[in-house]
Amino acid sequence: MTAPTHIDLQISGMHCASCSARLEKVLNKLPEVTATVNIATEKAHIDYNPKRTDLAALIKAVQGAGFDAHPLRDFAVEKQARIAAYRREQRQFAIAVLLTLPLLVEMLLMFFGIHMMLPGWLQFALATPVQFWSGRRFYSGAWSSLKSGGSNMDVLVALGTSAAYLLSCAVLLFNLDQPIYFEASATLITLILLGKLLEARAKSKASGALEALINLQPKLAHVEREGIMQELAVEQMQAGDVFLVRPGESAPVDGVVLEGLSSMDEAMLTGESLPQGKQPGDKVYAATFNQHGLLKCRALAVGAHTQLAAIIRLVEQAQGSKAAIQKLADQISAVFVPVVLVIALLTLAGWWLLGGNFTVALINAVSVLVIACPCALGLATPTAIVVATGRAAQVGILVKDAAALERAHKLSVLVVDKTGTLTEGKPGVTDLLPASGISSDELLQAAALLAQSSTHPLSRALFDHAQARQIVLLQTAGISEVSGHGLRAEIDGEHYLLGSPAFAMREGIVIDGQQILALQQQGKTVIALACAGVLLGYIAFADQLRASSRAAVAQLAAMGIRVVMLSGDNHATAQAIATQAGITEFRAEVLPQDKAAQVQSLKTNGQFVGMAGDGINDAPALAAADVSFAMRSGSDIAIEAADITLMRNDLASVADAISLSRATLKKIRQNLFFAFAYNVLGIPLAMLGMLNPVIAGAAMAMSSVSVVSNALLLKRWQRQA
């Protein structure tokens, strides 16, 4: 089976939620194509089989639906194209205002009892360019929509304004004793154009956080090649290049410090305002700011492989995804325009039959057409998601998709892994307790010999401790790992065992339970080393609790979230760490393969369970959770399995993510309420003849702006102290 190819297309010509829903339907009808279309970002995210459907066929389908598309270009190019399109719309609006203003003044004077009517031919001359030049987008959009078997907001606007315009033309042409409504049709189009301009401006602000991230990376870098320092475009840099980061400059790519001492502001990466000290061997990341001191670095990752590029990709992915709550709005938008057309026809027929005045009936029907707007409904959810995911990235919270952000507000239980999540994840050797007749160095050498090929945190700590004490280690083969228990090896014909006390006891080794318990009650992890069935000694480790963990647990509890700690350590050690962190509920001696089952057991009785972890052995549990959080310091597998990545390596970021999720859902519900209430109240008022078409048009134009503006308030969300 051919793996699907993914492509993002930039779409132009969409005006409302009906447009995005129709385009999504058209694309998904193509062979082996799965597409989602986002009205807020104006992008189509498409997975397709290039053997069945190629790029040309995708673009042709988009064009057949009445829109245009092209593959995503460089952000700067896209921005310039949007600016050019915005300026064209500004010119169209300015001309519409100049032509409409005399008509509008005439209408306003009538409110003050001054009846100064422009000649009918002059009104016709002013209104016609507005109707068919400034308003041509509505006709082309309506035609494309109807041609492809759908209907959208353009159909409503084109019908409503055309009815008022053509009625006025008939009155003028046949000299009928009826009022003319050129000012109504021209003013409606002008107001709707104004609303679209304001909406476009607000939507551009919604994606401002992503633009800010993209603009962070410097354009030039100081690169040393063949012993000569030269300025190169960042795009020309290669992994392995040696580059300088001067004081007051930002790192051009990800790298490792070779020479120099300084502090880097990594707030754009982690959301943490405190600068991070840098010395030889430390990593620097693209777009992080060098506060003082010259750093000489070697490039490790360039272009699309930097942390900054990964953040941008995740933010774009999240902004283009759909939350479950959006499905209701999409379903309503799909039938919205046909229902409004039926209501308008009923309004026309009812007023004409009951009142006998066709002009009044038509104007009331026009009010129904222009007051109804599916745009606000379609923008309610995606705009809030765009703003929230951008704001999350600014504080070091990377959301994989909108559904994860939506689900996070429901969490009632959070399962946390101990090592690397609550603790620093860097255990150190604290005690070497050799058996009689063996020195500490001999115990350490034998244990490190087994541990040197293992990636387990305790094995790495053993190896590092041996290196620090300059213990000579020989390479050895035949080491096997017993998952969750320890290591076995055959060295010089002797069988060695290194692992937990329980593992040693299971193998028949005699253990001093009291001595081990005393160490465990201090929060230390103890392992035993044995050879040929004889105990050689114990080694104790301690992993420091993160400074922020206790406050984060208290913060989560205050939010009504029950925190449960999982640990592979014995009961005494797990209890000691849990007590330090302020956690009352924990599960000890949980093997890696059993973590997912523990998460599943907590999901009973309708509990919504989150999981925070950082290790390879956390991946199944992260996948089993309703919402999963991975620490940036964790393994790639854990980060890949998680819904949300925490760049700060801090449990407090989980509380921040949940807080932002709750704020986002609050905004989405407010927006949906505004959109529903607007139509539920506005359409009946228009049917009853209580809304002038011009007022109805102004209200429709402002409805989308109000929804987008409300979503923009999420930019004010702040991390909890």
Side-chain angles (χ1 to χ4, degrees):
M1 182 180 291
T2 304
T5 299
H6 179 81
I7 190 170
D8 290 337
L9 296 180
Q10 189 72 48
I11 309 296
S12 57
M14 293 193 299
H15 298 151
C16 67
S18 299
C19 296
S20 59
R22 178 162 54 88
L23 180 56
E24 199 170 279
K25 187 176 180 181
V26 167
L27 288 171
N28 284 319
K29 283 183 178 179
L30 296 174
E32 294 188 41
V33 171
T34 303
T36 59
V37 180
N38 191 306
I39 182 66
T41 58
E42 297 181 335
K43 292 174 185 171
H45 305 271
I46 305 170
D47 291 314
Y48 67 103
N49 183 346
K51 293 184 178 179
R52 299 291 307 278
T53 305
D54 59 11
L55 176 59
L58 293 172
I59 293 178
K60 184 178 179 181
V62 173
Q63 293 171 338
F67 312 103
D68 203 358
H70 59 261
L72 284 186
R73 300 171 295 203
D74 178 76
F75 185 84
V77 175
E78 291 291 355
K79 183 178 180 180
Q80 288 303 315
R82 287 198 304 272
I83 290 172
Y86 185 77
R87 286 174 178 166
R88 286 195 300 271
E89 292 182 2
Q90 280 182 315
R91 286 194 294 270
Q92 290 178 358
F93 171 70
I95 293 171
V97 168
L98 290 174
L99 294 171
T100 303
L101 201 56
L103 300 171
L104 188 59
V105 169
E106 173 192 85
M107 186 173 62
L108 291 174
L109 289 175
M110 292 177 63
F111 284 107
F112 297 98
I114 302 172
H115 295 274
M116 188 185 72
M117 300 293 293
L118 294 175
W121 63 267
L122 182 56
Q123 293 190 46
F124 169 80
L126 291 169
T128 299
V130 177
Q131 186 72 38
F132 298 108
W133 186 77
S134 298
R136 68 185 184 277
R137 59 182 286 180
F138 302 115
Y139 286 101
S140 61
W143 170 245
S144 298
S145 177
L146 293 171
K147 187 174 64 174
S148 61
S151 54
N152 62 1
M153 185 203 76
D154 293 332
V155 173
L156 300 180
V157 175
L159 278 176
T161 58
S162 296
Y165 175 83
L166 293 174
L167 173 63
S168 302
C169 288
V171 170
L172 188 63
L173 181 63
F174 298 109
N175 198 25
L176 301 176
D177 186 21
Q178 296 284 346
I180 56 178
Y181 293 95
F182 286 121
E183 82 285 349
S185 62
T187 304
L188 281 172
I189 288 174
T190 303
L191 286 171
I192 293 167
L193 290 176
L194 173 61
K196 288 297 173 186
L197 279 175
L198 294 174
E199 179 187 318
R201 187 174 179 181
K203 282 164 66 177
S204 69
K205 289 183 179 179
S207 57
L210 180 60
E211 182 177 347
L213 283 173
I214 291 171
N215 291 335
L216 281 172
Q217 189 172 31
K219 306 300 180 187
L220 296 173
H222 310 293
V223 181
E224 182 182 295
R225 287 189 176 171
E226 298 179 357
I228 300 173
M229 190 61 62
Q230 53 187 296
E231 279 197 350
L232 287 181
V234 171
E235 295 80 9
Q236 297 177 351
M237 290 189 68
Q238 301 173 1
D241 278 343
V242 174
F243 62 93
L244 295 181
V245 187
R246 297 169 179 169
E249 294 181 344
S250 296
V253 296
D254 293 358
V256 61
V257 177
L258 300 177
E259 299 175 13
L261 298 172
S262 186
S263 294
M264 300 288 284
D265 180 355
E266 298 182 348
M268 53 68 57
L269 195 70
T270 66
E272 181 56 64
S273 58
L274 293 177
Q276 302 297 308
K278 298 296 177 181
Q279 60 185 2
D282 289 342
K283 288 185 178 180
V284 297
Y285 300 96
T288 55
F289 183 75
N290 186 13
Q291 294 188 325
H292 60 81
L294 178 68
L295 293 177
K296 187 175 184 180
C297 310
R298 185 181 303 281
L300 297 178
V302 300
H305 303 290
T306 64
Q307 287 271 11
L308 177 63
I311 291 172
I312 291 169
R313 281 195 300 272
L314 275 175
V315 173
E316 287 180 328
Q317 177 182 325
Q319 291 185 345
S321 60
K322 286 189 177 183
I325 197 170
Q326 192 175 338
K327 292 180 181 178
L328 174 62
D330 288 347
Q331 290 169 352
I332 293 174
S333 296
V335 298
F336 186 88
V337 175
V339 169
V340 170
L341 290 173
V342 171
I343 293 173
L345 286 173
L346 292 175
T347 301
L348 175 66
W351 277 92
W352 193 7
L353 292 174
L354 296 176
N357 189 322
F358 176 77
T359 303
V360 173
L362 183 62
I363 292 303
N364 289 337
V366 169
S367 295
V368 170
L369 290 172
V370 297
I371 191 67
C373 179
C375 297
L377 197 59
L379 288 168
T381 298
T383 310
I385 294 295
V386 167
V387 178
T389 50
R391 182 71 187 110
Q394 288 177 326
V395 296
I397 300 170
L398 300 186
V399 182
K400 187 176 290 185
D401 59 47
L405 184 65
E406 179 190 7
R407 291 195 304 270
H409 85 284
K410 301 179 183 177
L411 288 182
S412 54
V413 179
L414 179 70
V415 176
V416 294
D417 177 53
K418 178 182 74 69
T419 304
T421 305
L422 284 171
T423 66
E424 294 287 351
K426 297 177 181 177
V429 175
T430 59
D431 301 273
L432 292 169
L433 304 170
S436 178
I438 297 177
S439 70
S440 295
D441 281 357
E442 289 173 330
L443 174 65
L444 179 59
Q445 183 181 43
L449 196 62
L450 272 69
Q452 63 182 324
S453 60
S454 172
T455 59
H456 191 280
L458 296 185
S459 296
R460 301 316 304 161
L462 258 177
F463 180 77
D464 291 343
H465 193 67
Q467 293 283 85
R469 290 180 57 163
Q470 299 182 336
I471 301 293
V472 178
L473 300 178
L474 301 176
Q475 292 293 328
T476 185
I479 300 174
S480 61
E481 191 161 346
V482 183
S483 180
H485 296 288
L487 301 164
R488 299 179 190 273
E490 289 286 338
I491 302 175
D492 296 333
E494 297 288 354
H495 177 70
Y496 282 80
L497 177 151
L498 178 70
S500 67
F503 179 42
M505 289 176 65
R506 195 182 71 187
E507 297 295 312
I509 310 299
V510 178
I511 296 296
D512 185 345
Q514 291 298 321
Q515 187 179 15
I516 291 173
L517 181 60
L519 291 167
Q520 291 172 344
Q521 287 174 338
Q522 298 173 37
K524 296 178 180 180
T525 299
V526 183
I527 61 173
L529 175 67
C531 176
V534 178
L535 180 71
L536 299 182
Y538 308 114
I539 303 171
F541 303 80
D543 186 7
Q544 290 293 110
L545 191 73
R546 290 186 189 273
S548 59
S549 289
R550 187 174 182 87
V553 169
Q555 187 178 341
L556 288 162
M559 296 170 71
I561 296 170
R562 170 181 155 211
V563 180
V564 180
M565 186 187 83
L566 291 187
S567 174
D569 278 332
N570 61 84
H571 187 275
T573 302
Q575 185 175 40
I577 295 294
T579 301
Q580 291 176 36
I583 297 173
T584 57
E585 188 175 352
F586 64 92
R587 313 271 173 94
E589 299 180 12
V590 179
L591 296 177
Q593 60 267 31
D594 295 333
K595 287 186 177 181
Q598 291 287 342
V599 171
Q600 289 288 0
S601 70
L602 288 166
K603 289 170 70 173
T604 56
N605 302 321
Q607 296 286 336
F608 216 76
V609 179
M611 168 73 187
D614 78 324
I616 292 175
N617 57 17
D618 294 327
L622 289 169
D626 293 304
V627 183
S628 50
F629 305 86
M631 300 290 181
R632 171 182 164 230
S633 61
S635 70
D636 291 341
I637 295 175
I639 291 172
E640 183 65 28
D643 299 310
I644 298 173
T645 300
L646 309 175
M647 301 300 287
R648 291 171 59 208
N649 295 324
D650 186 344
L651 193 62
S653 291
V654 177
D656 291 336
I658 296 169
S659 171
L660 180 58
S661 172
R662 291 178 178 180
T664 304
L665 265 291
K666 184 178 179 180
K667 283 298 173 194
I668 289 174
R669 292 187 183 113
Q670 287 173 355
N671 283 349
L672 290 174
F673 173 79
F674 291 153
F676 280 119
Y678 164 82
N679 286 294
V680 167
L681 293 174
I683 293 175
L685 289 175
M687 291 176 66
L688 294 172
M690 299 173 69
L691 277 181
N692 179 282
V694 173
I695 297 174
M700 188 271 272
M702 292 300 106
S703 63
S704 297
V705 178
S706 63
V707 165
V708 176
S709 299
N710 187 50
L712 284 172
L713 293 177
L714 280 169
K715 285 189 171 185
R716 299 181 181 179
W717 175 87
Q718 296 292 329
R719 281 167 33 196
Q720 299 181 38

